[in-house]
Amino acid sequence: MTDTTDDIAEEISFQSFEDDFKLLGNLLNDVLQREVGAQFMAKIERIRLLALSASNMRLSGIENMAALLEKQLASEISEMTLEEALKLARAFSHYLTLMGIAETYHRVRKGRSVTHLSKSCDDIFSQLIQGGVTPNDLYDTVCKQEVEIVLTAHPTQINRRTLQYKHIRIAHLLEYNDRPDLGHEDREMLIEDLVREITSIWQTDELRRHKPTPVDEARAGLNIVEQSLWKAVPHYLRRVSTALKKHTGKPLPLTCTPIKFGSWMGGDRDGNPNVTAKVTRDVSLLSRWMAIDLYIREIDSLRFELSMNRCNDRLSRLAQEILEKETLSENLRESRNQPLSRSQLKLHGQQAPSLPTQLPDRAGLPACTDYTDGGSQYPKLELPGTDYMPLAREDGRENSSKDLSPNIPKLSANGSSANSNGSSTAVTSRGSFSSGQLLAQRKLFAESTIGRSSFHKLLEPSSALRPGIAPYRIVLGDIKEK
């Protein structure tokens, strides 16, 4: 255990349990050298050699030498301070944990290279058919089968979830290390990742410093659902369905639930006096929250995957109905959330007008883009700017809000403004519009009228004009909102 981290990537092959064992041991040695110092590491190594030698002597039957080594080992440990003893215990504990990770992954590696036909659903169903069971009986029996998994809390579990995640991360790195296409730089980066994880484990407190509450225990139990059962159970049911279809011609029905779940977490009043009605309610709400969170993740994944725009007529109608409902609700929300400006309130005697029961004709069009010969039904909008003045009429009076629309000047091609009666005026005097001012004021007016939400809606064509729409994503989006 004296190799340095820089030499590990070149000297170790990564194909067997011994290689993983040596790799993790060397990396832990490097981390401890940096964390506790070379002097204390020498003491740890000496104690390890004494314990290993004493064990080998006893296995060989050399009792006297084994007793002598054990006595020396006890003397070494008794001379340690409490802080040193704690570091020693932690070092050996993490060493054994890393070796356990290497051994567990080695079993997974061996299992991948061996075909377990005797344990597969396909093989079991084949044996039943060969034994005289008819396909119909097999199908009915499998569909009626019920297995209930009951979850319970384990307050004696001392491993923190954060350390469990780190251990899983190390196992994934060992799996990644088995890839034959890894280059030299990839292996060096993998070594750095392993060093980072081991360092983080050493600097993390392994023990809980407070007694877990029933809600904490339930949270740990639900973590098993999130990390294991949520993926493992559907994967198993797909294997059962595939094998069932092969031997009976019919897959497992979508409504069939051969595996169900129950839970004592937060509800076991006999085993824990701290479980009260409030605890049961909190755990139930926590379980519902986690279930919704897991389903939303799956819906988001499906929305990304199901990008097709072709579907059957039923799904197409459903997507169209959802779009129409969303459009209607957006229009209603926009019509209700359009407050009048201060200038509009002034023109109405400082009193806010009552909300109309229905929108007038052409209310959805900006008033500055289309004008009729009739009087405007809307109050005059005071546009921002200091140079704006009401347009003058021929008789010298200002136009009121009622006759403003027919006399708004329009720009001609040469930059002059033309009134509705056909006469043109130069755009030079105060109170008249230049082309830039008119465009800017029209833009401000449109923005104040349309609003931000309507502006974003204008960027997308209406549902009737979107032939490439993805109906699956619309339906799944509606499910997610629900």
Side-chain angles (χ1 to χ4, degrees), residues 102-345:
E103 183 179 4
T104 301
Y105 174 67
H106 182 61
R107 292 176 181 174
V108 173
R109 182 194 290 129
K110 289 179 59 178
R112 291 173 179 171
S113 59
V114 179
T115 304
H116 299 281
L117 293 178
S118 60
K119 297 181 181 180
S120 65
C121 299
D122 186 16
D123 187 66
I124 294 297
F125 291 165
S126 177
Q127 293 178 13
L128 291 174
I129 294 294
Q130 294 175 4
V133 179
T134 63
N136 290 334
D137 291 341
L138 175 62
Y139 183 82
D140 294 337
T141 303
V142 173
C143 292
K144 294 178 181 178
Q145 184 181 13
E146 289 187 1
V147 177
E148 186 173 7
I149 300 176
V150 180
L151 303 176
T152 183
H154 290 280
T156 56
Q157 173 63 263
I158 62 173
N159 289 332
R160 297 177 58 188
R161 281 180 296 166
T162 180
L163 289 178
Q164 294 175 15
Y165 287 136
K166 296 180 187 300
H167 296 162
I168 294 174
R169 168 69 174 164
I170 291 177
H172 288 167
L173 290 173
L174 291 179
E175 179 181 9
Y176 180 74
N177 190 42
D178 277 345
R179 290 181 52 176
D181 59 340
L182 285 184
H184 177 73
E185 293 181 353
D186 293 331
R187 292 193 186 277
E188 288 184 342
M189 292 177 61
L190 183 138
I191 294 299
E192 292 179 359
D193 290 339
L194 284 172
V195 170
R196 189 180 301 110
E197 291 294 335
I198 295 174
T199 304
S200 177
I201 289 175
W202 175 258
Q203 296 179 356
T204 301
D205 192 0
E206 303 93 341
L207 303 177
R208 297 187 181 96
R209 298 302 175 179
H210 61 87
K211 184 178 180 180
T213 65
V215 177
D216 293 333
E217 297 172 2
R219 188 177 291 108
L222 292 174
N223 179 64
I224 302 299
V225 177
E226 180 182 8
Q227 296 297 322
S228 302
L229 296 177
W230 184 256
K231 296 293 185 182
V233 172
H235 177 71
Y236 172 74
L237 292 180
R238 283 193 292 269
R239 291 173 56 189
V240 173
S241 180
T242 302
L244 197 63
K245 183 178 181 180
K246 177 180 178 181
H247 293 282
T248 65
K250 296 179 290 184
L252 198 66
L254 294 177
T255 56
C256 182
T257 55
I259 299 179
K260 298 182 178 180
F261 293 93
S263 176
W264 285 353
M265 297 182 298
D268 188 5
R269 306 291 176 85
D270 297 332
N272 192 339
N274 296 322
V275 177
T276 61
K278 182 180 182 302
V279 169
T280 302
R281 179 178 180 275
D282 291 343
V283 173
S284 298
L285 292 177
L286 179 65
S287 302
R288 293 174 61 186
W289 173 83
M290 174 165 284
I292 292 174
D293 183 62
L294 291 173
Y295 277 120
I296 285 179
R297 297 183 201 175
E298 297 296 330
I299 291 174
D300 287 336
S301 177
L302 281 175
R303 291 182 69 187
F304 183 79
E305 179 182 352
L306 301 179
S307 59
M308 301 83 71
N309 57 4
R310 299 180 60 182
C311 63
N312 56 29
D313 295 337
R314 180 182 177 185
L315 186 62
S316 178
R317 288 193 300 270
L318 179 59
Q320 190 68 24
E321 292 175 0
I322 294 173
L323 282 178
E324 292 175 355
K325 290 180 181 179
E326 291 179 352
T327 303
L328 179 61
S329 62
E330 288 179 2
N331 292 338
L332 291 175
R333 184 167 58 252
E334 291 171 5
S335 63
R336 293 173 182 173
N337 296 334
Q338 294 253 344
L340 292 176
S341 64
R342 184 177 300 175
S343 60
Q344 290 172 321
L345 293 178

